[in-house]
């Protein structure tokens, strides 16, 4: 999976998704053989030559300036996340010296303390590949109560939320609108793949999901990019029934992120979450108060 192929595929996919009428390109009622814009139409909107844009889409040009990329992004009507992704892909494509292997991920002391503070809120710590590095009791009970609560403690057992969303029946049934959650996962992984092009473990995960899930492969081919930091989901929990949550990703730099699920005050969803907390407390009297522990290395 090279930056060259990703860049060309991304540009072609997004060009096919822009309708001429949406950007003021006249079609005069003609029958078009390709969906979306033609290369020369996109180039005209971006203010570059058609031959240059064609070379860029075919991966034959490595010299696109930030200004040109912004012009193309504007013509493709990309949002902020997609613009950053486009710039990342071009940086990946350019020749460079061999980079260092990404450092192992850790549950930092700050993240561990945050899990302690959030004892009444479902929370999990995710690495860049969506590996679960840690979770508190309620986070485990809400997102993966069917798994061993100690699973994140060792790299061999560590759950991966992307893998769970696409390959685990329990997690799939947890979301009433599963496609929405699945698209968010794929969009987030695309951003990470461009930021960490030499992460072999990440690309192995992408290959596994593509091979085992036709739905993942289809969504990945769509080239949607999403920085899903806040999203609402209707969840169908096997113990407490339906509840509406807002999942928020709390990130403070290149380290792992903390994902929390909140509910509206006074709502039936808040009552369901309280019921789940009671169930967790009742079944964990002798257990550790939270699966935070000391900093843990990620494989």
């Amino acid at each position: 999976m090279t930056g060259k192929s990703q860049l060309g595929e991304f540009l072609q996919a997004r060009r096919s998704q822009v309708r001429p009428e949406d950007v003021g390109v006249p079609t005069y009622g003609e029958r078009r053989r390709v969906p979306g814009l033609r290369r020369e139409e996109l180039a005209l909107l971006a203010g570059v030559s058609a031959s240059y844009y064609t070379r860029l889409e075919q991966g034959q040009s490595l010299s696109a300036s930030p200004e040109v990329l912004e012009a193309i992004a504007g013509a493709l009507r990309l949002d902020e996340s997609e613009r950053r992704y486009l710039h990342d892909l071009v940086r990946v494509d350019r020749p460079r010296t061999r980079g260092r292997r990404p450092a192992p991920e850790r549950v930092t002391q700050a993240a561990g303390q945050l899990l302690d503070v959030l004892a009444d809120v479902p929370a999990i710590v995710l690495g860049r590949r969506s590996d679960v590095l840690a979770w508190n009791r309620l986070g485990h009970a809400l997102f993966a109560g069917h798994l061993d609560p100690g699973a994140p403690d060792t790299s061999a057992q560590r759950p991966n939320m992307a893998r769970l969303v696409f390959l685990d029946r329990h997690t799939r049934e947890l979301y009433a609108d599963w496609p929405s959650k699945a698209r968010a996962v794929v969009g987030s992984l695309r951003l990470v793949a461009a930021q960490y092009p030499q992460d072999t473990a990440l690309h192995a995960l992408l290959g596994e999901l593509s091979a085992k899930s036709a739905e993942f492969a289809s969504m990945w081919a769509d080239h949607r990019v999403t920085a899903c930091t806040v999203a609402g989901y209707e969840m169908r929990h096997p113990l407490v029934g339906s509840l509406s949550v807002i999942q928020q990703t709390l990130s403070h730099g290149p380290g792992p992120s903390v994902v929390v699920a909140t509910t509206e005050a006074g709502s039936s969803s808040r009552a369901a979450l309280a019921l789940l907390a009671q169930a967790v407390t009742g079944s964990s009297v002798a257990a550790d108060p939270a699966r935070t522990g000391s900093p843990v290395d990620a494989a």
Side-chain angles (χ1 to χ4, degrees):
M1 188 179 298
T2 64
K4 180 185 295 183
S5 64
Q6 289 186 75
L7 174 61
E9 290 173 3
F10 177 69
L11 290 175
Q12 185 175 1
R14 296 317 305 269
R15 177 169 58 83
S16 71
Q17 294 162 4
V18 179
R19 298 184 303 176
E21 58 267 28
D22 291 339
V23 290
V25 173
T27 61
Y28 306 107
E30 63 180 332
R31 177 175 294 179
R32 301 169 70 89
R33 293 186 298 174
V34 296
L37 295 175
R38 295 168 176 154
R39 284 175 177 164
E40 58 269 24
E41 292 170 340
L42 191 284
L44 182 62
L45 289 173
V48 300
S49 71
S51 60
Y52 175 80
Y53 176 78
T54 297
R55 293 196 304 273
L56 186 64
E57 192 171 288
Q58 293 178 344
Q60 298 173 359
S61 176
L62 307 177
S63 59
S65 68
E67 292 76 17
V68 168
L69 293 179
E70 282 300 306
I72 293 174
L76 290 173
R77 309 181 76 178
L78 303 184
D79 62 22
E80 186 60 33
S81 296
E82 293 164 333
R83 288 171 185 264
R84 291 199 305 269
Y85 179 71
L86 177 62
H87 284 271
D88 284 340
L89 287 183
V90 172
R91 282 194 289 269
V92 168
D93 202 20
R94 287 173 177 158
R96 63 190 187 282
T97 58
R98 185 177 180 84
R100 294 182 299 173
R101 180 183 178 184
E105 296 177 284
R106 298 170 61 87
V107 179
T108 62
Q109 183 179 18
Q113 291 180 359
L114 186 56
L115 285 188
D116 283 335
V117 172
L118 296 173
D120 296 330
V121 178
I124 58 177
V125 180
L126 294 183
R128 62 179 169 272
R129 307 179 199 108
S130 72
D131 293 321
V132 179
L133 307 182
W135 48 30
N136 61 13
R137 279 185 184 175
L138 206 48
H140 165 252
L142 179 64
F143 292 109
H146 62 303
L147 300 182
D148 180 358
D153 295 344
T154 59
S155 58
Q157 293 183 312
R158 189 166 292 138
N160 178 277
M161 289 307 298
R163 189 179 286 115
L164 289 175
V165 166
F166 279 94
L167 305 180
D168 180 74
R169 182 176 58 84
H170 172 95
T171 306
R172 187 185 185 101
E173 293 177 352
L174 193 60
Y175 291 92
D177 184 2
W178 179 85
S180 175
K181 178 62 177 179
R183 284 191 295 268
V185 169
V186 172
S188 178
L189 285 176
R190 272 211 167 276
L191 286 173
V192 176
Q195 293 167 359
Y196 297 93
Q198 295 181 327
D199 190 331
T200 56
L202 173 62
H203 292 298
L205 171 67
L206 299 176
E208 175 193 353
L209 292 175
S210 296
K212 294 182 178 180
S213 170
E215 291 159 313
F216 179 88
S218 176
M219 292 181 187
W220 186 260
D222 193 43
H223 288 267
R224 294 290 182 180
V225 180
T226 310
C228 196
T229 55
V230 180
Y233 296 104
E234 182 74 22
M235 304 185 76
R236 300 176 297 195
H237 197 274
L239 291 182
V240 296
S242 298
L243 65 162
S244 299
V245 304
I246 294 179
Q247 293 183 15
Q248 302 183 56
T249 301
L250 312 178
S251 179
H252 49 83
S257 301
V258 178
V259 178
V260 300
T262 58
T263 54
E264 185 178 357
S267 65
S268 59
S269 297
R270 178 68 62 87
L273 204 57
L275 184 61
L276 182 60
Q278 292 176 4
V280 170
T281 302
S283 62
S284 309
V285 174
D288 294 335
R291 285 281 174 181
T292 55
S294 56
V296 177
D297 286 337

